[in-house]
Amino acid sequence: MISEITQGQLATLSFTGRPLVICDVDEVIVHFTRDFEDYIGLHGLWLDTSSFALNGNIRYRKTNAPAPEPLVAEMIGSFFDTRTRHMQEIDGAVSALLAFGERADVVLLTNLPHTAGDHRRENLRSHGLPFPVVTNSGPKGPAIRNLADRGGRPVIFIDDSPSYIASAHEFAPEVTLIHFLHDDRFSRHIAPLDYVSLRTASWHEARPFVMELIGA
């Protein structure tokens, strides 16, 4: 289900009838993992990349024991509170999204604490991205269904999370899916998904693929 906060943000959006590009933010537009690793390192923790997860993979440096889930949740929340405004662009993301925006409606759909939403908007504006930002919690499929029902065609969704890609396929199977896996330490753990149209680690590959889809 879509949270009340997310529903309120979705309701403010308008569409032109052009193609629709829905894009994640963390590890797709801006670096998350490298900054998060730096942040938890200040608290005596490190990130084990032996599987695609945070819970169980954030460990104490001194003992290598996994940090308990409440501490992981606290670290994630405090990271977004203090670092979101300063996150740096992944190479090629901004220019690609601006190019999409010349021919399509663009919505940035991001899972982070709703309280950090304005920090995220400020950060993305500082990178020159003028597009609406919708904060979400839980699976993204319901929000993508909402957007796809209102936007033009085709609809493209770009995300790094296999669970959000799967959720999009479940709720909006007509949407073209791009699995953007920037960090190969995690991508090596994820088997290819047969309903994904493009799996890539680079905007230099994703950009021309999307441009062709939206009629450039």
Side-chain angles (χ1 to χ4, degrees), residues 3 6 34-35 41-43 47 62 71 84 91-93 99 112 115-116 125 141 150 163 167 174 177 183 203 206 216:
S3 74
T6 301
R34 72 178 192 186
D35 292 351
L42 300 175
H43 299 272
L47 179 62
K62 288 186 177 180
L71 178 60
T84 300
D91 184 42
L112 84 170
T115 54
R125 284 195 300 267
R150 298 158 61 200
S163 66
S167 179
E174 77 278 17
L177 302 173
D183 192 327
W203 278 106

Side-chain angles (χ1 to χ4, degrees), residues 86-125:
H86 311 292
M87 296 171 84
Q88 298 299 306
E89 175 200 2
I90 288 175
D91 184 42
V94 169
S95 62
L97 286 162
L98 291 174
F100 302 161
E102 294 178 359
R103 297 179 176 271
D105 291 328
V106 177
V107 176
L108 308 181
L109 180 64
T110 178
N111 273 34
L112 84 170
H114 294 297
T115 54
D118 285 342
H119 289 171
R120 170 126 293 167
R121 294 179 183 96
E122 178 185 340
N123 175 251
L124 293 171
R125 284 195 300 267

Side-chain angles (χ1 to χ4, degrees), residues 188-207:
R188 62 195 171 99
H189 302 301
I190 303 170
L193 303 171
D194 59 10
Y195 44 80
V196 164
S197 294
L198 176 67
R199 175 175 167 138
T200 182
S202 166
W203 278 106
H204 300 294
E205 184 177 16
R207 177 174 175 167

Side-chain angles (χ1 to χ4, degrees), residues 175-186:
V175 170
T176 299
L177 302 173
I178 297 176
H179 201 176
F180 193 96
L181 291 161
H182 179 69
D183 192 327
D184 61 7
R185 296 176 300 167
F186 293 110

